[in-house]
Amino acid sequence: MLRAWGRDLAAALRTGARLLTAGNGGSAAEAQHLSSELVGRFAGERPAFSAIALSTDSSAVTAIGNDYGYEEVFARQVAAHARPGDILVLLTTSGRSPNLLRAAEAARERGVRTWALTGPGPTPLESLCESVIAVDAPAPNVQEAHLMAVHALCTVFDAEIARTPDVGQGLAPLRAEAGAGTAPVPAGARSVVHS
């Protein structure tokens, strides 16, 4: 599943789409981590790609929370920033956070692909996302597995950008690292795909 996500993410972002990420608490940190790896770099030099972590604009988060309620803090930003063809990645140990459920609904309404990394399922978020990787473990271990998944996703993304450097916007090739393109699935994870 992570290999497919990495390839799909590379195909989307190299044509001008953007990645949006969201989570709460430690999952917000992992969402930021994923976004920063794409805007900056992961393992090697490559062009920057558009990725926005929706938890990082404290003025927007607090204003939306104050005016609309905390369950709307991500959905309102999805409504503002997301366009058809973009991808939203939601990270959560519970799969039940109302603000993430609303973000997935807002993304669906706008033609945005939605993926989730969750804890044990089934969860309400699964039915709202196109693709889910659920990790069957206690919350702290779920977050550890999500970090591994973020790194695996970035590994595949970078390898895909390096493999097809002249597709899309004429992007410069990435210097591929040894072993690039492999994406281990964290132990205890299962994939859920909705078509």
Side-chain angles (χ1 to χ4, degrees), residues 4-191:
W5 282 14
R7 289 176 178 160
D8 289 352
L9 187 60
L13 269 55
R14 75 179 331 136
T15 61
R18 70 178 55 95
L19 172 69
L20 304 175
T21 64
N24 294 295
S27 296
E30 292 303 339
Q32 283 179 240
H33 187 145
L34 174 56
S35 294
S36 70
E37 297 288 20
L38 298 180
V39 174
R41 68 176 182 184
F42 179 61
E45 290 300 325
R46 60 149 165 75
F49 290 90
S50 181
I52 303 169
L54 301 179
S55 62
T56 59
D57 185 344
S58 60
S59 294
V61 168
T62 56
I64 295 165
N66 186 59
D67 294 344
Y68 298 96
Y70 192 68
E71 65 278 358
E72 295 296 321
V73 296
F74 300 134
R76 186 83 178 174
Q77 292 182 80
V78 168
H81 298 301
R83 304 293 180 265
D86 289 349
I87 297 172
L88 172 66
V89 174
L90 303 170
L91 294 95
T92 171
T93 58
S94 72
R96 291 174 167 69
S97 302
N99 59 358
L100 298 179
L101 299 175
R102 282 290 303 123
E105 291 167 353
R108 180 184 278 180
E109 292 166 6
R110 284 159 184 79
V112 173
R113 297 173 68 184
T114 307
W115 304 336
L117 292 168
T118 73
T123 69
L125 190 58
E126 286 183 17
S127 64
L128 297 172
C129 293
E130 174 185 315
S131 182
V132 177
I133 296 175
V135 179
D136 188 10
N141 302 118
V142 169
Q143 289 183 339
E144 292 168 347
H146 287 179
L147 174 59
M148 291 173 52
V150 163
H151 284 175
L153 176 59
C154 290
T155 298
V156 176
F157 177 87
D158 280 4
E160 188 65 14
I161 294 298
R163 189 181 71 77
T164 55
D166 56 349
V167 175
Q169 299 177 345
L171 302 172
L174 168 77
R175 288 191 298 264
E177 304 295 328
T182 59
V185 175
R190 67 181 176 84
S191 298

